[in-house]
């Protein structure tokens, strides 16, 4: 791995662990084993490096979600699989935790990967719900956009509950509650 890649990977890890405000250029350089000159050779500064790191993290999270949501199975099974995907709730979402970082969300370039990832995820789930309704698998009365927003909000809120409790269980309970709610959309 070259210096640029090490810097990006280190920034990804530190942003997830500490947030934007808690991540210094020096900490990134130390973790990457790269000097200041190397960092500023590849990036204009912390914000540009963070934007690159967040973009890669966002792409990886979309790919992880698509590996579940993009399958050939029934709509409800794909949504349930997404909700039940194994996650380390105490670490928080690699993307979602940045939405609570005031310094990051104040910068449009840094906020963009977070905003785009959530928009993509809501659209992807809404499309699955709509397709399930069109095929007759799911009841037609529910608004696909609202269902998708509720699913995404449940996962993100589950992370908050777990971190506040210092335990995985509240996250798992929130997701299981969402499974029960979206299962009510199925025709019996």
């Amino acid at each position: 791995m070259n210096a640029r890649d090490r810097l990006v990977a280190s920034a990804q890890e530190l942003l997830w662990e500490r947030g934007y405000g808690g991540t210094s250029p020096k900490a990134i350089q130390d973790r990457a084993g790269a000097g200041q000159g190397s960092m500023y050779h590849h990036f204009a500064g912390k914000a540009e490096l963070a934007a690159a790191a967040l973009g890669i993290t966002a792409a990886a999270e979309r790919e992880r979600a698509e590996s579940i949501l993009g399958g050939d199975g029934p709509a409800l099974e794909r949504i349930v699989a997404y909700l039940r995907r194994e996650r380390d709730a105490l670490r928080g979402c690699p993307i979602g935790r940045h939405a609570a970082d005031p310094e990051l969300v104040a910068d449009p370039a840094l906020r963009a990967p977070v905003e785009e990832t959530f928009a993509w995820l809501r659209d992807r789930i809404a499309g699955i719900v709509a397709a399930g309704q069109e095929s007759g698998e799911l009841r037609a009365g529910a608004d696909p956009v609202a269902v998708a927003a509720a699913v995404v909000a449940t996962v993100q809120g589950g992370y908050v509950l777990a971190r506040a409790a210092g335990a995985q269980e509240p996250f798992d309970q929130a997701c299981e509650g969402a499974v029960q709610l979206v299962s009510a959309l199925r025709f019996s």
Side-chain angles (χ1 to χ4, degrees):
M1 194 181 288
N2 63 34
R4 183 187 191 287
D5 293 341
R6 289 194 319 272
L7 286 162
V8 170
S10 295
Q12 285 179 276
E13 294 167 6
L14 288 166
L15 288 168
W16 191 7
E17 292 168 13
R18 302 178 184 181
Y20 185 75
T23 299
S24 70
K26 178 74 172 132
I28 296 169
Q29 293 161 21
D30 288 348
R31 186 166 291 188
Q36 183 177 6
S38 182
M39 179 174 157
Y40 291 102
H41 170 76
H42 295 289
F43 302 97
K46 175 183 166 181
E48 186 177 299
L49 173 54
L54 288 168
I56 292 169
T57 299
E61 286 303 301
R62 287 190 305 270
E63 186 176 309
R64 185 174 294 127
E66 182 60 24
S67 72
I68 295 168
L69 297 171
D72 291 333
L76 186 58
E77 284 182 17
R78 291 184 284 154
I79 295 168
V80 168
Y82 173 76
L83 284 163
R84 288 182 173 159
R85 185 185 93 199
E86 188 174 329
R87 296 170 174 93
D88 181 354
L90 295 178
R91 282 199 77 197
C93 176
I95 289 298
R97 45 184 310 175
H98 300 300
D101 187 327
E103 198 173 343
L104 189 141
V105 296
D107 183 326
L110 294 174
R111 186 181 65 246
V114 176
E115 186 177 2
E116 291 165 5
T117 298
F118 284 131
W120 173 86
L121 186 56
R122 288 189 318 269
D123 288 347
R124 187 69 177 99
I125 293 171
I128 293 168
V129 172
Q133 290 172 326
E134 289 170 16
S135 73
E137 176 194 346
L138 302 177
R139 296 182 192 279
D143 176 2
V145 174
V147 171
V151 167
V152 174
T154 297
V155 171
Q156 292 306 309
Y159 281 117
V160 172
L161 294 173
R163 289 176 61 88
Q168 178 77 28
E169 186 178 22
F171 177 88
D172 295 339
Q173 289 169 336
C175 289
E176 196 54 37
V179 165
Q180 292 173 26
L181 292 171
V182 298
S183 294
L185 297 173
R186 176 182 28 205
F187 276 113
S188 299

